Amino acid sequence: LLLETPKGNLSKLMQPFQTSYTVYFNKRHRRTGHVFEQRYKAMLVDKDNYLLQVSRYIHLNPVAAKIVKRPQDYRWSSYPSYLRSKVVLGLKYETVLGYFSGGRRRRLAQYREFVEGEIEGKEKWAELPVLMGAFIGDEDFAEQARKKAVKVSELAGHYPLKRIVQAVCKVSGIAEEEIKRPMRREGVQRAREVLCYVSRRYSDVGL
């Protein structure tokens, strides 16, 4: 999925979606347990320089996996909706087509050539510049985005786990190495409990 959100709060969408879909899927197929093996993976895209490439990458994934020969033949793709001008709720055609010039028909033709013209030259589109496993763009973009995320997170009362560990160790007088070891001494256990609570409350780490 290529999604745009003004607040950077993708997790608020994905968590209830994964939960509700799992319940629906299991009920429909009379099964139990997880549907998705792992937590979803999200990457921040340099919109100005790589949005088109990411869009093409997604549309051509079924072709690369040899599920279909043409991207428009894949049942779950939005690509046919571009070609047929079919209205799909939430799909913003102009976000992608706006990178091309001319009227809608001309822009659509250019986009189609951009996507389908690369099928034979797979090496040109099969790889995206992924940095730190979280960014699609160059190093300057990744560094600026990382700094901005840290700043916004701290303003919202969220802090990196490392800073929380340092603060708990300073206040409790317990060394980080002691907290990590499975010690039962009361002071260490208390510091560990405080660390778990504060980390869960004031950072983005999971349980």
Side-chain angles (χ1 to χ4, degrees):
L1 294 175
L2 181 57
L3 302 174
E4 183 175 27
T5 169
K7 295 183 179 180
N9 54 352
L10 183 60
S11 61
K12 290 188 177 181
L13 164 69
M14 294 303 298
Q15 185 175 0
F17 164 73
Q18 287 186 313
T19 300
S20 61
Y21 184 77
T22 297
V23 171
Y24 158 78
F25 186 90
N26 285 342
K27 184 176 181 180
R28 178 180 178 183
H29 297 281
R30 297 180 180 179
R31 64 186 297 279
T32 60
H34 295 287
V35 172
F36 303 101
E37 182 178 352
Q38 299 174 341
R39 185 178 183 271
Y40 75 93
K41 178 70 174 178
M43 297 183 188
L44 187 64
V45 179
D46 181 351
K47 182 178 180 180
D48 294 334
N49 298 309
Y50 289 99
L51 183 138
L52 278 178
Q53 287 89 327
V54 173
S55 174
R56 177 175 62 192
Y57 178 87
I58 292 173
H59 290 320
L60 291 181
N61 254 327
V63 178
K66 298 182 179 180
I67 299 174
V68 295
K69 291 185 177 180
R70 305 184 307 165
Q72 56 265 47
D73 295 333
Y74 186 55
R75 180 182 178 185
W76 307 111
S77 174
S78 63
Y79 187 63
S81 301
Y82 279 90
L83 304 186
R84 302 168 191 160
S85 298
K86 181 181 177 182
V87 177
V88 175
L89 187 64
L91 182 60
K92 307 296 183 183
Y93 301 96
E94 293 306 314
T95 301
V96 172
L97 297 183
Y99 284 84
F100 300 96
S101 60
R104 177 178 174 80
R105 182 171 295 182
R106 175 174 170 76
R107 284 182 289 155
L108 184 55
Q110 293 177 74
Y111 180 58
R112 185 168 186 174
E113 174 60 27
F114 176 75
V115 174
E116 298 180 44
E118 291 296 325
I119 292 179
E120 297 302 323
K122 179 181 176 182
E123 68 281 356
K124 297 180 181 179
W125 59 265
E127 296 295 332
L128 293 171
V130 179
L131 297 176
M132 307 178 202
F135 305 99
I136 296 178
D138 58 26
E139 292 185 3
D140 288 340
F141 169 77
E143 183 61 21
Q144 291 176 17
R146 189 187 64 78
K147 289 181 179 179
K148 183 177 180 180
V150 170
K151 184 177 180 180
V152 171
S153 181
E154 292 187 0
L155 286 174
H158 282 65
Y159 302 90
L161 180 60
K162 185 176 181 179
R163 283 192 59 184
I164 294 176
V165 172
Q166 292 173 344
V168 171
C169 290
K170 182 178 180 179
V171 172
S172 66
I174 305 295
E176 182 176 341
E177 292 72 21
E178 290 185 89
I179 293 179
K180 288 181 178 179
R181 290 199 294 266
M183 300 177 66
R184 295 185 176 276
R185 187 157 59 88
E186 183 177 351
V188 176
Q189 281 191 314
R190 181 60 178 166
R192 190 180 297 119
E193 291 169 358
V194 171
L195 174 61
C196 290
Y197 171 79
V198 176
S199 299
R200 186 62 178 148
R201 176 67 178 81
Y202 294 103
S203 79
D204 295 324
V205 298
L207 291 174

